[in-house]
Structure formats: structure tokens, C-alpha cells
Amino acid sequence: MFKRLSLKVKLAMVLLLVSVIPLGLFSALVTHKYDQAMEHAVKDQQTMITISTAMHLNEWLEMRISAIQEVIKQNESVFKSGNIERIMPFLKMLHYTDTQNISYSYATEEGMAYASDGAIVDFSVMNHSPEINKEKVTISDVIEDPIHFKKMVIISVPVLDEGAEYYGTVSSVMDVNALTRDITMMSSKQAGTAYLVSSEGMVLAHPNKEWVGKNIFEFEMKEDSSYRLESVLETSAGSTAYKDTKGIERIASFAEVETTGWRVVVSTEQEEILAPIKMIEHTGLLLLIGLMLVAAALSLLFSRVILRPILNISSLMKKVTAGDLSERLQVNSPDEIGLLNQNINMMLDSFTEKLRDLEKSMKSEQELMVRNILMDKQSKMDALTGLYNHKSYHEYMDKLIEQTQLIEFNLQLVIVDIDNFKKVNDTFGHAAGDIALTVVSERIMEHMDSNDFAARYGGEEFVILLTSKNDEMNARILEQIRASIEHTPIEEMRGANVTVSMGAYTVRRGDSKEKVFNEADGALYRAKRTGKNKIVIASDIR
């Protein structure tokens, strides 16, 4: 039957075989590869966001543990005494400075717990009380608060001496809702649902409070053995596919919270997260069908043309199928062959451009994420010294002044000024002056703990906020800072050094922020007027 066909039809059939069919196969291959790349990119992006949130939660927990340990360290004799009346002010101080917890408590070795809100609980007679670890810091899973009838998580820090002898336990009792802040934000910004599970699979935090306390395996369909959430608890980070109890296919991205072994999980319907990819796939398929129809119609016209243009197209399609998108057909005439060559070139340009746009889009999203993080940090930090800036000082000082109105705790403001700084710039140059500023900031930070705060107030002037220490300890720290700066030679100043003068004032209840600063500034002025390179306490002036 093929022999009876006209040459025109034969040429049209040949054209379809050597160009349209390879084109269709290549397009299907490219579309498949593109879909795979996009799917991996979407999953990786969701996993990175989950890892970032897990790291933030880990830092959040470690900060609270460090705060408790620092208070115990600074007041070791008080906590070892077991005297509740002496311990209670420190528990209340921790509670007032941490608004995200229910209460702080001190538990004796016998199991009696005394909370900062006045509650007293005997854990030794409770059926579901958290087990007290007398050797190391522990963080509980979700338990029921017997006083407030809330779901809570407890951070417990044992009070030990150098010989590891146990005296009691200081605990931070946190409402589960405090843990859901970042989890809830993830659910609002990302497709799907974000939640927190323990290392044993118990749900600790979930936008739907009914799920809190349940096991993660209750989320999946048990009958389908090909989908499992086991990898969430077995691997520190990644993603896995499973079917939920309604039979809906979902993708779960997860990351471990290092301090506790908990997992931050983001669960999204697979159809929802891959919807943009499917849309691109359908668009590409329609485009391919359209091109194939156009090619089939044009093949009837090309049957009158010599065979060479067809061979050229066939040769190009072989290279395209092999993955080479660099070569293009020559358009030597405005006839049908020329038009087909032009369309094929445009199609290859379109595929090349889409692949390039995909790379640019992924790179732009990564750059935007990094830029936002850097901008947030830069808005709070001084670029030269790495300390907090003027604005951050005022924000932090406002919060501390507000706290002093609620509870008495030791807070001292220190203003530090480099002596004869103009002379340093005039003698050694502004670059050496910048080095001197950096050296002073480094010496300040070396003598501060996690409860203290330092900022560059402006020019050669710095501010320090010392908390949780008495005046004698503060004076010793300030003298260490002053002496270390004085004895640090600066290479850019030909081995010379700089000195600093300090004015300090201990905040009293009722003091305004302006009064505190003026008192410290007056003490600094006295230090400058009486010889420099010294520390003057405002109370010493009176």
C-alpha cells in the first residue's frame, strides 16, 4: 500500500518520522527532567525552612537553659542552701524577665516543688509527674499542669556542686503555646501544616490543639505499607512521602531540634505542593501538541521541496535528542521550509530560556533569603565593632527600666569613652582609630556574660548594661576591662595603646531612662576631669 502513495504523501510521512517524533520524545524527556528538578528544588526549599526553624527553636531552648544556669552560678550558695525564702526572689526575677513561661520553680530532693507564682506541688505523690534527673539538664515532653490545667513542657536544671552532689532542681514551666509561635508562623507562611513532635513521636505543638499529645503515627494510613513516617524519627533532617488517614498523599519535611531530639515537621498535600509543576507540565504538553500539529500541517507543504532541508532537520533533531541545544537551523528562504526552521529554532530558544529562567529564579530566592537575614542583623548591629548599635541600646534599656518598676534587681549602666581619641586619629590616622574602636569592643566583650549587654553608643563612646550582679562584682569587672584595654598594644598605632574613662550608675526603682543616663554621664565627666583612665561610680560623687 505504501508504494501506491504519492511522493508528496511519502515525503510528508518521512518528515513526521524524522522530525516530529524525535521532537516529541525529546520534549517529553526534557519535561520529565524539568519536573524532577523542580520537585527536588521545592522539597529542598521546604526542608531548609524546616531546618532553619529547628535551629531557631534549639537556640531558644538553649538560651533559657543558659539563663537558669547563669543565675544558679552567680548565686550558688543560695540555691545550695535549699532555703525557699532566699531562693524565691531569684525564681520571681527569672519569671518576670521571661514572659513566655508559666512559672519558675525549685524542687527539693524529696520532690517538693515551690513555684514563683506561689504554688506548691508534691511530685512524689503524683501519678504522671516528670522524673527528676539529678545529673544533667532535661526537657520533658508534653505533660498536664496540675495547677493551671494546661499542657506544658518543663526545662529542669539540677543544682550541683563541683563534686556533682545534688541539692535540688530549678525548673522553667512553659506553656506549650510558647513553643508554637514559630510553628504557627510557618503554617501561615508555607503551604501545609507545621508541627512539633518528640523523639518518641508524641505531638508537642500543633496548630490544631486536639492533636497535641497524640502520636505522629496516628496521622498516616496503616494499611498502606509503602508510606511510612518512621524516617521522621530515624533521620535528623529530610523529607518523606506518606498517606494520611483520609488516603491523601502528603510530603513531610522534617528537621531535628538538637538539644531535645524533637522534630519540626511540615506536612503538605503532595498535589498542592506540586501543583505549579503540574501546571508547567500541562502547558508544555499543550505547546508540544500544538507544535506537532503545526509540523504535521507544514509537512504537506514541505513534500514539494527537495529532501535536503528535511535531512538538515533530521540531523538537528538527533543532536537535540542527545541533549545539545546549541545548534540552530539556517533560515535561507521565506517559504514553508524556512518557516519550519524558524519555528524549531524558536522552540529550542524557548526551552533554553525556560531552563535559564529556572536557574535564575532558584538563585534569586536563595539570595533574597540570605539578604533578608543579613538586613535584619545589620539593623541591630554596629558594622565596625560587631556590638549592638545606638538604636538597639535604647530598645533594650526601655525593657529593663520597665522591669525595674516591677521587681528589684541589680542593673548598672556604664558609659565608656576612649581618652584623647581625636589625638589618635590626628596622629595615626582614621584607619588606626577604627582599629582602636575594634580593640576596645573586643576587650569589653571578653569580660561580659550572657546576661550583660554592650553597644556602641556613637563615635568613641560605648554603653554597658550589667545585670544580676552586685556593685562589688560590677566594679571588679569594669576594672578588668579598663586594665585590659590599657595593656593592649595596637600595632597600627606603632605599639601604642589607648585608655578609657568610665562613668557608672546603679539603677534605682523609679529612675527614668534619661536620669540613669545623665547620672552615668556625669560620673564619666568627673572621670575625664580628674585625670582620665579611671572609673567613677555616680554614688561616689555624692
Side-chain angles (χ1 to χ4, degrees):
M1 182 177 179
F2 182 79
K3 295 181 179 180
R4 297 180 181 180
L5 298 176
S6 65
L7 181 60
K8 176 180 178 180
V9 175
K10 290 179 180 179
L11 289 175
M13 294 177 65
V14 170
L15 181 60
L16 289 172
L17 289 173
V18 301
S19 62
V20 177
I21 293 177
L23 175 62
L25 292 174
F26 169 75
S27 300
L29 176 63
V30 171
T31 301
H32 177 68
K33 294 294 184 182
Y34 175 83
D35 290 348
Q36 285 184 328
M38 280 292 293
E39 182 175 345
H40 286 303
V42 170
K43 290 181 179 178
D44 290 344
Q45 182 184 27
Q46 185 161 298
T47 300
M48 289 301 297
I49 294 173
T50 307
I51 291 173
S52 176
T53 302
M55 291 175 64
H56 180 78
L57 181 57
N58 189 70
E59 292 173 358
W60 185 83
L61 291 169
E62 288 183 343
M63 181 178 67
R64 276 149 180 78
I65 293 171
S66 297
I68 297 173
Q69 290 175 331
E70 187 62 27
V71 170
I72 294 174
K73 179 180 177 182
Q74 295 294 335
N75 306 276
E76 187 176 12
S77 61
V78 175
F79 285 93
K80 285 183 179 180
S81 71
N83 188 319
I84 301 304
E85 292 183 358
R86 296 179 63 195
I87 294 173
M88 189 57 62
F90 296 98
L91 298 180
K92 291 183 178 180
M93 180 193 72
L94 286 169
H95 178 63
Y96 283 126
T97 55
D98 184 3
T99 59
Q100 294 182 321
N101 76 0
I102 298 174
S103 66
Y104 280 81
S105 65
Y106 179 84
T108 64
E109 188 173 6
E110 293 76 24
M112 293 297 297
Y114 302 86
S116 58
D117 58 4
I120 301 176
V121 179
D122 187 356
F123 283 118
S124 63
V125 300
M126 292 176 58
N127 295 329
H128 302 288
S129 63
E131 183 178 354
I132 297 177
N133 192 309
K134 299 181 180 180
E135 299 178 354
K136 64 180 181 179
V137 176
T138 58
I139 301 177
S140 74
D141 287 340
V142 174
I143 60 177
E144 189 76 20
D145 182 354
I147 304 300
H148 304 89
F149 302 103
K150 295 181 178 178
K151 293 187 184 321
M152 63 182 184
V153 172
I154 299 179
I155 299 176
S156 298
V157 180
V159 180
L160 306 171
D161 62 11
E162 294 180 356
E165 182 178 354
Y166 175 76
Y167 291 89
T169 298
V170 178
S171 300
S172 172
V173 182
M174 296 182 301
D175 192 335
V176 169
N177 292 331
L179 298 176
T180 63
R181 180 187 60 183
D182 287 344
I183 305 301
T184 303
M185 289 177 62
M186 284 185 64
S187 293
S188 64
K189 294 181 179 179
Q190 303 295 326
T193 303
Y195 53 92
L196 185 68
V197 300
S198 71
S199 59
E200 303 299 325
M202 178 190 293
V203 179
L204 304 179
H206 195 286
N208 185 348
K209 296 182 180 180
E210 294 181 0
W211 281 105
V212 175
K214 295 185 177 181
N215 194 287
I216 188 177
F217 296 114
E218 295 181 45
F219 289 15
E220 68 175 334
M221 180 180 290
K222 298 295 187 296
E223 292 77 8
D224 189 347
S225 59
S226 63
Y227 291 86
R228 285 290 179 267
L229 288 173
E230 294 173 350
S231 59
V232 173
L233 305 179
E234 297 172 351
T235 311
S236 61
S239 62
T240 186
Y242 70 100
K243 278 187 179 181
D244 64 17
T245 55
K246 297 180 180 179
I248 299 174
E249 295 183 355
R250 305 182 71 89
I251 295 175
S253 298
F254 57 91
E256 181 182 16
V257 180
E258 185 177 353
T259 302
T260 60
W262 298 344
R263 299 295 193 279
V264 176
V265 184
V266 178
S267 177
T268 311
E269 288 188 18
Q270 187 166 312
E271 182 177 345
E272 180 180 1
I273 199 172
L274 301 181
I277 301 174
K278 296 299 182 183
M279 183 178 296
I280 294 174
E281 179 180 343
H282 294 158
T283 302
L285 180 61
L286 292 175
L287 177 62
L288 174 62
I289 293 173
L291 288 174
M292 292 179 67
L293 292 175
V294 171
L298 291 176
S299 66
L300 297 175
L301 300 176
F302 294 162
S303 61
R304 298 180 181 179
V305 184
I306 59 176
L307 194 59
R308 181 167 297 278
I310 300 176
L311 296 176
N312 291 338
I313 294 173
S314 176
S315 177
L316 175 65
M317 290 301 103
K318 289 180 180 179
K319 294 181 179 180
V320 168
T321 303
D324 182 7
L325 299 176
S326 61
E327 190 170 332
R328 297 293 183 270
L329 293 170
Q330 292 185 355
V331 181
N332 298 321
S333 62
D335 59 8
E336 292 81 2
I337 292 294
L339 180 61
L340 178 60
N341 290 349
Q342 184 178 357
N343 287 337
I344 292 176
N345 288 342
M346 290 174 60
M347 181 196 68
L348 294 176
D349 290 340
S350 176
F351 272 116
T352 303
E353 187 65 24
K354 286 184 181 297
L355 291 175
R356 190 180 297 115
D357 289 343
L358 173 62
E359 294 176 355
K360 289 181 179 179
S361 176
M362 294 176 63
K363 183 177 180 181
S364 296
E365 290 180 2
Q366 294 172 351
E367 291 175 348
L368 178 61
M369 184 182 298
V370 172
R371 187 160 59 250
N372 288 339
I373 293 173
L374 292 177
M375 287 177 63
D376 181 64
K377 182 177 180 180
Q378 290 170 356
S379 68
K380 297 180 179 179
M381 309 302 290
D382 177 66
L384 176 63
T385 63
L387 299 178
Y388 286 99
N389 57 24
H390 183 98
K391 177 184 176 183
S392 297
Y393 156 72
H394 282 286
E395 292 175 350
Y396 193 68
M397 188 61 175
D398 287 336
K399 294 179 180 178
L400 288 180
I401 289 294
E402 182 180 351
Q403 288 300 319
T404 60
Q405 313 307 317
L406 302 175
I407 181 174
E408 290 187 5
F409 67 96
N410 197 293
L411 171 63
Q412 189 175 78
L413 170 65
V414 185
I415 303 177
V416 183
D417 188 88
I418 300 177
D419 298 326
N420 305 314
F421 187 71
K422 183 178 184 302
K423 185 177 179 181
V424 172
N425 284 331
D426 293 341
T427 304
F428 303 103
H430 289 279
D434 288 347
I435 297 299
L437 290 168
T438 303
V439 169
V440 170
S441 66
E442 290 173 349
R443 296 294 87 81
I444 290 173
M445 292 304 297
E446 286 174 356
H447 296 85
M448 295 176 60
D449 60 32
S450 60
N451 290 327
D452 299 329
F453 176 91
R456 183 184 178 191
Y457 194 78
E460 68 272 23
E461 201 168 54
F462 303 82
V463 290
I464 302 173
L465 292 170
L466 299 174
T467 64
S468 303
K469 292 175 280 294
N470 58 41
D471 290 346
E472 181 180 352
M473 295 172 62
N474 290 341
R476 185 164 57 251
I477 292 172
L478 295 180
E479 176 56 25
Q480 291 173 352
I481 294 174
R482 186 205 64 76
S484 66
I485 293 172
E486 181 184 11
H487 294 97
T488 300
I490 299 175
E491 182 178 351
E492 289 75 5
M493 294 171 54
R494 298 195 287 274
N497 65 302
V498 295
T499 61
V500 296
S501 298
M502 302 184 190
Y505 175 71
T506 300
V507 180
R508 296 176 175 83
R509 177 175 287 187
D511 285 350
S512 66
K513 182 176 70 173
E514 292 73 18
K515 178 184 177 182
V516 172
F517 188 87
N518 290 337
E519 291 285 349
D521 194 47
L524 173 63
Y525 178 79
R526 178 69 177 272
K528 290 286 188 179
R529 291 292 300 273
T530 58
K532 302 180 181 179
N533 190 23
K534 60 171 60 177
I535 304 164
V536 173
I537 309 299
S539 60
D540 295 339
I541 299 176
R542 297 184 176 86

